[in-house]
Amino acid sequence: MALIDLQNISKHYSAQKILTEINFHVDKGERIVIIGKNGSGKSTLMKIVNGTLDQDAGERITKNDLEVKMLDQRPNFKEGHTVREAVEDGLRELNIAKNRYNELSLLLADDFENKKLIDEHENLSCYIEHHNAWNLDDKIERIIQHFDLKQYEDKPIVLLSGGEQRRVALASLLLQKPDILLLDEPTNHLDVYMVEFLEELILKEKFTLVFISHDRYFIDRIATKSIEVDECTLKEYSGGYSDYLTQKAEYIRTLQKQHDNLLDNLKRENAWYARGVRARLKRNEGRKERLMNLRDDAKNNPAKIRKMSVELQREAKHFNRDKSINKQKMLFEVENLDLTLGNKELLKDFTTRILQKDVIAIVGPNGSGKSTLLKALLGRLEPTRGKIKQGEFKIGYFDQHREMLDDDKNLMETFCPHGGDRVSVRGKDLHVYGYLKNFLFPREFLEKKVGVLSGGEKNRIALALLFTKNVDILILDEPTNDLDIPTINILEEQLTNFPGAVIIVSHDRYFVDKIAKKLFIFKKDKHIEESHQQYSEYLELEKELQELDEMEAAASVKEEKVEVREKVKTIKLTFKEKIALEKLPLEIEELELQIQEKNKCLGNPKCYEDIGISQLASELGKIEEIYEQKVEELLTIQEKEETINS
C-alpha cells in the first residue's frame, strides 16, 4: 500500500482550474520531483499531499499514523528561541522516546519477563531506528556545521535573514526524518557545498521525499520519479531531469505540430546535457577508476597518494590557462583589489582583466563576498585597497531585490514608459505582448501592476526588461532564484545569444556549467582562483583533492607509527633489563607479602603495641614506596619488550 494515495483529485480557485481528476501516490523510499511552469499547480499539489489544503473533489488516503512534514517558504519559530533551540524544538518527541527507552531498559533489567514493557521497548526501538535518532546530538552538531549555522547557534532566530531561517527550518526537518518529507525549493539560499551535503544526507538516510526544485543537477541526483504538472493534469516520468528530457522529447514527438517549439527547446537542452555532462562523465571515468584503485592499494603509501594529487592538480591547471583574446576591448581592469565589509575581510589581492566577450560566473560559499565584488565592479562600493579601472560601456544589472521595477506600474508602462506598444530588443522592433510571450506571460498580464505579481513573475519581468536595454555587459546576481525550469531555459537562451560580456553570481551548478566560460572562485584564504573548467568538474576535482589530502594525512600518521615501530625493533633489552625482568616479579611478590603482614599487624593491638603504631606505619610506608617503584620498573621493561616483539 502507498503511504499516500490521491485519487481523482480536483482543485480550482474561483473560475481557474488548477488540478482536474489527477491521481498521485507516494511509496516508501520514493523521491519524487514535481516540475512544471510557475502557476501550474506544483505548490497546490504539495499542500494537498501535506493535508494543509483541501481538495474540491476526490479522496486523499493515507497510511495510519503517517507523519508528513513540509518545509515552509516562510517558516515560523517560537518567540525568543535561539538558532539551536529552534533546530532542537522539533526533536522533542524523539528525545522523549529516547529517554523512555533508556528508562525501560533499566526496568527490564529487573523485570525482564514483563510482556508489556518488552512490547513498549521494542516499539520505541523501531521508532528511534526509523528516525535514525540514536546519535542525535552528533547529528545536530554535524548539520549545524554543514549549514553554516554554528556561528549563529546562540543568536535569537528573529535576527537571522530569511535565507538563514530557511536553513534552520530545513535542518530541523532533516533531523526529525518524518515518514514523508516535503521540500519546496530546498536548494534556495544554499551554496553548492551545502547542496552537496543535503544530497548525500537524503541518499544516505533513505528519505521518502516529494520536492519542487529548479536545480537540475539536484533533481538528477535525487529524484527516482518526475511528475510534471501541465494543463491541470499530471504526467509521470521515471528518473531525474536527464531522463525526463529524453522521455518528454519522445512523448512530444507523438503530439501535434503546435508543440514543435517546445520540442526544439527540449532537443537543444537534451543535446547539451548529453554533450556537456555525459561526455565529461565518460572522460572522468578513467580518473575515477584511478582514484578508486588508489583507495585500495595506496592507503598506506603517501607517496602514491601524492602522485595522484599532483596528476589532479595538473589536470586542473590545464583548464586554468589564459584563453582570453588580448585584442578584445577591455571592460574592467582590477589591480590588487582588497574588499572588507564591516570588520570582515572578504577578498585579498585580486588582479584580473574582464574583456568584452567574457562570460564569467562568480562562485563560492555563502557569505564569501560574491555580491560585494559585483557592487565594487558597479562602483557602489569603494575598494579597501587597490583599484578598478573601467572602460567606456553601458551596464545592465539584475539584482536579487529587482530594484529596476516599480510596483505601481503595469507591464505596458514598464516596457513602454513613453507610450506605444512596441519594444526594441537588440535591433528588432517587437510588440510588447509578442516579446513577453517568450517569457511565458499571457496577454491579460499586460495591464497587471508589478506589485501584484509573485516573486517568480517579478523575476521574469525584470529579466525580460533587462534584455530590452542597449548595454555592453550584463551583471546578474542570483538570476535563477524563484524561476521555474522553463524560464531558466529562456534565460539561458537569451544569455547565450547576448553579444556582450556577462558576469553572473549563482549557486546553480547546471546553469553555471551551461553559460559560463570562466570562473572566479572565492577560496577560503580570501583569494580568487580563476578557472576555465566547468563548475561541476571543478567541484568534483576539489572534492577528490580533499579526499586525497585526508588519505595522505591518515597514511602519513600510519607510516610514522610504522617507522617508530621499526626503530624500536632495532632496540634490544639490555643485560641489566633482562636480569631485572627475571628478578622483579619475585621481589614484588615478596614486598606484597610484607605489606600484607604489616597491615595485619596494624589490625592487631597485641602486635602493634610491641612495635609501636607510629614505627609500624612508617615501615609500611617505606615498603609501599619501594613496591610502587619496583612495579613501575617492571611495567616499563615489559612495555618495551612487547613493542620489540610486536
Side-chain angles (χ1 to χ4, degrees):
M1 176 187 170
L3 299 179
I4 285 185
D5 197 5
L6 304 184
Q7 298 181 358
N8 301 315
I9 296 290
S10 295
K11 183 66 183 177
H12 68 274
Y13 296 109
S14 299
Q16 184 182 4
K17 292 181 179 179
I18 304 297
L19 300 171
T20 303
E21 295 185 351
I22 62 99
N23 295 301
F24 178 84
H25 67 273
V26 183
D27 291 332
K28 185 176 180 180
E30 282 191 310
R31 298 185 297 274
I32 303 171
V33 62
I34 303 174
I35 54 181
K37 293 183 286 190
N38 282 346
S40 61
K42 301 189 299 291
S43 295
T44 298
L45 176 57
M46 285 271 279
K47 289 173 184 174
I48 292 173
V49 172
N50 192 35
T52 51
L53 181 67
D54 293 330
Q55 63 272 17
D56 298 324
E59 191 173 5
R60 177 182 182 268
I61 304 169
T62 66
K63 186 180 175 183
N64 290 338
D65 301 321
L66 187 74
E67 187 180 36
V68 184
K69 294 194 175 179
M70 183 171 177
L71 175 66
D72 294 323
Q73 289 286 357
R74 296 181 179 176
N76 293 315
F77 300 98
K78 287 187 178 177
E79 190 175 348
H81 266 188
T82 64
V83 167
R84 192 173 191 96
E85 287 169 342
V87 170
E88 293 177 345
D89 185 54
L91 308 176
R92 283 175 299 172
E93 291 182 13
L94 285 172
N95 282 319
I96 290 170
K98 286 181 69 179
N99 291 335
R100 177 59 179 163
Y101 176 87
N102 292 333
E103 181 183 331
L104 288 171
S105 298
L106 293 173
L107 291 173
L108 284 169
D110 297 324
D111 191 6
F112 56 87
E113 293 184 351
N114 188 315
K115 184 70 168 60
K116 186 178 179 182
L117 293 181
I118 291 171
D119 289 344
E120 186 183 357
H121 191 263
E122 288 182 356
N123 289 336
L124 285 171
S125 177
C126 292
Y127 175 74
I128 296 167
E129 183 68 33
H130 170 73
H131 291 85
N132 197 10
W134 294 110
N135 56 339
L136 208 49
D137 290 338
D138 291 342
K139 290 177 69 177
I140 291 170
E141 190 63 29
R142 184 165 172 257
I143 205 166
I144 283 177
Q145 291 277 7
H146 278 280
F147 279 170
D148 195 25
L149 297 170
K150 186 66 179 176
Q151 57 187 315
Y152 308 123
E153 66 176 331
D154 297 321
K155 191 174 182 179
I157 190 78
V158 294
L159 298 180
L160 269 61
S161 68
E164 289 163 347
Q165 288 188 13
R166 267 179 60 85
R167 296 211 301 269
V168 172
L170 178 59
S172 184
L173 277 179
L174 291 168
L175 288 164
Q176 292 171 49
K177 198 187 176 189
D179 296 319
I180 299 179
L181 179 60
L182 308 178
L183 300 177
D184 190 352
E185 295 291 0
T187 62
N188 273 4
H189 310 291
L190 301 184
D191 63 34
V192 290
Y193 303 102
M194 297 175 190
V195 172
E196 186 179 69
F197 169 73
L198 176 61
E199 290 171 346
E200 290 173 356
L201 184 65
I202 287 171
L203 295 173
K204 181 182 177 183
E205 299 277 356
K206 296 181 173 57
F207 277 86
T208 300
L209 181 68
V210 180
F211 67 103
I212 297 169
S213 179
H214 69 259
D215 187 327
R216 289 156 288 182
Y217 280 154
F218 181 78
I219 294 172
D220 228 23
R221 187 169 184 202
I222 296 300
T224 58
K225 184 163 72 178
S226 301
I227 299 293
E228 184 178 28
V229 186
D230 185 32
E231 296 183 348
C232 306
T233 63
L234 304 186
K235 178 72 177 173
E236 181 177 320
Y237 302 91
S238 60
Y241 183 67
S242 56
D243 295 316
Y244 157 76
L245 286 174
T246 303
Q247 294 169 57
K248 177 76 171 180
E250 185 63 34
Y251 168 68
I252 294 176
R253 285 190 187 98
T254 66
L255 299 181
Q256 300 174 356
K257 210 168 184 178
Q258 64 192 34
H259 295 288
D260 283 351
N261 288 338
L262 181 57
L263 177 57
D264 289 341
N265 186 39
L266 282 166
K267 281 180 178 177
R268 283 196 303 272
E269 183 80 348
N270 202 21
W272 177 85
Y273 191 93
R275 182 178 67 253
V277 178
R278 289 176 183 167
R280 290 203 320 282
L281 290 176
K282 188 175 182 180
R283 188 180 72 208
N284 289 345
E285 282 175 2
R287 189 180 75 220
K288 275 293 199 184
E289 186 178 355
R290 292 199 306 275
L291 186 64
M292 296 309 294
N293 290 337
L294 196 69
R295 291 180 184 279
D296 296 331
D297 66 13
K299 287 180 181 177
N300 301 325
N301 191 336
K304 288 187 180 179
I305 299 170
R306 214 170 290 120
K307 181 181 176 184
M308 180 64 179
S309 180
V310 169
E311 288 178 13
L312 288 178
Q313 287 169 347
R314 187 181 297 123
E315 187 171 344
K317 286 177 182 177
H318 166 75
F319 290 98
N320 295 341
R321 298 194 305 259
D322 186 5
K323 301 179 182 179
S324 302
I325 301 172
N326 292 328
K327 293 180 181 179
Q328 290 181 19
K329 177 183 175 183
M330 191 275 292
L331 302 181
F332 294 102
E333 190 164 2
V334 181
E335 295 180 5
N336 307 118
L337 183 68
D338 287 4
L339 291 176
T340 302
L341 199 59
N343 295 321
K344 185 178 181 182
E345 185 181 43
L346 299 174
L347 179 61
K348 293 193 295 191
D349 199 27
F350 179 47
T351 297
T352 194
R353 299 173 77 234
I354 298 173
L355 306 178
Q356 67 185 106
K357 291 187 178 180
D358 278 343
V359 182
I360 299 167
I362 303 174
V363 296
N366 281 347
S368 56
K370 301 182 297 296
S371 297
T372 305
L373 177 57
L374 288 189
K375 289 176 182 175
L377 293 174
L378 290 164
R380 300 183 180 189
L381 181 71
E382 283 294 320
T384 309
R385 186 181 75 90
K387 53 188 175 181
I388 301 174
K389 296 178 184 177
Q390 183 175 325
E392 292 292 327
F393 57 89
K394 294 178 182 177
I395 298 174
Y397 176 54
F398 173 90
D399 75 321
Q400 299 177 54
H401 307 292
R402 301 178 287 262
E403 62 181 35
M404 66 177 73
L405 299 181
D406 184 342
D407 283 351
D408 295 328
K409 291 183 178 179
N410 63 30
L411 268 58
M412 285 296 294
E413 294 167 332
T414 298
F415 284 86
C416 304
H418 305 298
D421 58 6
R422 315 288 293 183
V423 291
S424 177
V425 183
R426 291 202 287 275
K428 293 182 180 179
D429 185 53
L430 303 172
H431 189 276
V432 173
Y433 169 60
Y435 176 59
L436 288 181
K437 188 168 62 173
N438 294 326
F439 288 84
L440 309 179
F441 283 105
R443 186 180 292 274
E444 58 266 24
F445 268 67
L446 294 179
E447 299 304 322
K448 279 192 175 185
K449 298 281 188 184
V450 170
V452 303
L453 302 179
S454 69
E457 290 165 343
K458 285 183 178 180
N459 268 8
R460 273 191 280 156
I461 287 296
L463 288 167
L465 185 60
L466 182 66
F467 290 114
T468 66
K469 305 299 182 184
N470 183 22
V471 296
D472 302 292
I473 181 171
L474 294 173
I475 296 180
L476 302 97
D477 192 357
E478 295 289 1
T480 64
N481 275 3
D482 297 319
L483 295 185
D484 52 28
I485 291 175
T487 308
I488 296 175
N489 285 330
I490 294 167
L491 170 62
E492 289 166 348
E493 187 175 355
Q494 292 284 339
L495 290 174
T496 301
N497 294 328
F498 181 70
V502 177
I503 301 175
I504 55 175
V505 166
S506 181
H507 293 302
D508 188 327
R509 297 159 294 176
Y510 191 106
F511 176 71
V512 171
D513 274 356
K514 198 169 178 184
I515 297 301
K517 297 175 183 176
K518 187 177 184 179
L519 302 177
F520 287 170
I521 306 159
F522 273 79
K523 308 294 286 184
K524 289 181 180 178
D525 63 1
K526 316 300 182 188
H527 288 87
I528 284 180
E529 176 184 338
E530 295 189 37
S531 174
H532 288 86
Q533 289 171 274
Q534 289 197 300
Y535 191 30
S536 58
E537 183 155 319
Y538 167 81
L539 291 169
E540 188 68 26
L541 273 171
E542 182 185 51
K543 186 177 180 182
E544 289 172 9
L545 285 167
Q546 184 179 350
E547 289 174 356
L548 286 172
D549 285 343
E550 292 169 357
M551 288 169 64
E552 184 176 2
S556 295
V557 169
K558 195 164 187 178
E559 194 176 62
E560 285 174 9
K561 289 181 179 178
V562 171
E563 287 175 3
V564 169
R565 195 178 297 120
E566 290 300 322
K567 286 179 182 178
V568 170
K569 283 184 178 180
T570 64
I571 302 170
K572 298 180 179 180
L573 290 181
T574 65
F575 178 75
K576 185 179 178 181
E577 286 171 335
K578 290 179 180 179
I579 297 297
L581 196 58
E582 294 178 5
K583 289 186 174 181
L584 281 171
L586 298 174
E587 292 175 0
I588 289 170
E589 188 176 343
E590 176 61 31
L591 289 168
E592 285 174 346
L593 290 173
Q594 292 180 29
I595 291 169
Q596 188 177 351
E597 288 177 3
K598 296 293 182 185
N599 281 321
K600 187 176 180 181
C601 186
L602 281 170
N604 186 347
K606 290 182 179 179
C607 181
Y608 66 68
E609 283 175 359
D610 292 340
I611 303 172
I613 193 166
S614 298
Q615 177 67 22
L616 187 59
S618 176
E619 291 174 1
L620 177 60
K622 289 176 182 177
I623 296 171
E624 286 177 336
E625 186 177 345
I626 296 169
Y627 173 79
E628 292 295 335
Q629 291 172 354
K630 297 284 186 183
V631 168
E632 182 66 28
E633 186 181 353
L634 178 62
L635 290 173
T636 301
I637 297 171
Q638 286 177 336
E639 187 175 340
K640 184 177 178 180
E641 183 184 42
E642 287 173 7
T643 305
I644 292 169
N645 294 332
S646 63

